Amino acid sequence: MLPPPLRFMDQDVPWKTPVTYLGVTIDRRLSMRHHVKRAVGRAKGAMNALYPLTGNILLRVKLALYKLYVRPHLTYAAPAWYSYTKECNRQRLRIVQNINLRRAVGAPRYVRNATIARDLRMESIDEFVARFTKGMFDRADASQHPHLKDIAPWHSRPPDKYRYLRELFSADTTNTGRDARAATAATTAGRLAGPPPGPPGVSPGGA
């Protein structure tokens, strides 16, 4: 049951759930699923609008268009809500990026999404949000304005499963994807280079 509607300037203000504030759709449970659905819809709309223009342009231009016109819809105000949304909603955001990258390179279905992202050196949605969030907090903490310093401070953990906003750019979050791509690239380079040379007079295949 919702309480009676508020009155403002002799007019009733009805209760709504969800409600959109400054471009972020907030529901009563802070699941952010309504916002993710809205963000995915807008990102797909931008994808479809740009698709006729990406026929015969350079790959770097396609990636730049994605970063400029599609990804901002997925990550708008992400430092404020990304830690509250569930993994299934985050996966919906990742799928949109995967579709964009596959379209950009024209990859067949059997090529893994991780391989495409690695070859294009494209950071994941999680890594981008972590970097974006860290930059925001660093600028806020270094600001001369007292109302921006120590924004969203650490405090006692509430009795729920939500992560702190500052935990979005923890060392594990930002380094895991980067280290995995580096390890994969090193392995691939080693395979292309072949086995290391043996002692003089000994062939790589044995005696």
Side-chain angles (χ1 to χ4, degrees):
M1 291 291 295
L2 294 176
L6 301 176
R7 291 191 63 81
F8 180 73
M9 299 182 65
D10 296 330
Q11 293 184 358
D12 290 338
V13 181
W15 293 95
K16 290 184 178 180
T17 178
V19 63
T20 300
Y21 180 70
L22 296 178
V24 179
T25 305
I26 306 171
D27 59 276
R28 62 188 303 178
R29 298 182 180 274
L30 287 180
S31 66
M32 309 309 296
R33 62 185 181 90
H34 296 280
H35 179 77
V36 171
K37 180 180 179 180
R38 182 166 170 260
V40 169
R42 289 192 170 189
K44 289 183 176 180
M47 287 170 48
N48 296 331
L50 292 172
Y51 185 72
L53 306 177
T54 58
N56 296 317
I57 61 177
L58 297 175
L59 177 59
R60 61 182 178 86
V61 179
K62 294 180 181 180
L63 298 179
L65 289 175
Y66 164 71
K67 294 178 181 179
L68 289 173
Y69 295 104
V70 179
R71 189 169 64 181
H73 290 295
L74 300 175
T75 59
Y76 172 76
W81 58 266
Y82 198 77
S83 61
Y84 295 110
T85 190
K86 294 182 178 180
E87 179 64 22
C88 59
N89 293 323
R90 297 184 184 186
Q91 183 62 22
R92 296 181 63 184
L93 303 175
R94 300 180 191 123
I95 289 174
V96 175
Q97 173 164 296
N98 293 336
I99 293 175
N100 273 268
L101 299 184
R102 299 189 77 90
R103 282 185 178 182
V105 299
R109 298 183 62 181
Y110 56 82
V111 179
R112 297 176 62 88
N113 294 323
T115 302
I116 298 173
R118 180 204 67 201
D119 293 344
L120 295 177
R121 298 183 179 180
M122 176 68 68
E123 59 187 344
S124 66
I125 292 293
D126 301 84
E127 293 170 349
F128 175 78
V129 171
R131 179 170 60 84
F132 180 48
T133 304
K134 185 178 185 302
M136 185 200 72
F137 278 112
D138 288 344
R139 290 190 299 271
D141 293 339
S143 175
Q144 298 179 356
H145 301 284
H147 63 281
L148 291 179
K149 286 187 176 181
D150 199 26
I151 190 172
W154 297 103
H155 51 79
S156 58
R157 182 170 295 278
D160 54 36
K161 298 180 181 179
Y162 296 137
R163 295 193 300 170
Y164 292 123
L165 299 179
R166 291 179 181 266
E167 288 182 344
L168 286 176
F169 56 89
S170 62
D172 294 338
T173 304
T174 55
N175 293 333
T176 300
R178 189 182 303 110
D179 294 344
R181 289 200 304 271
T184 305
T187 302
T188 304
R191 290 175 179 175
L192 294 176
V202 179
S203 63

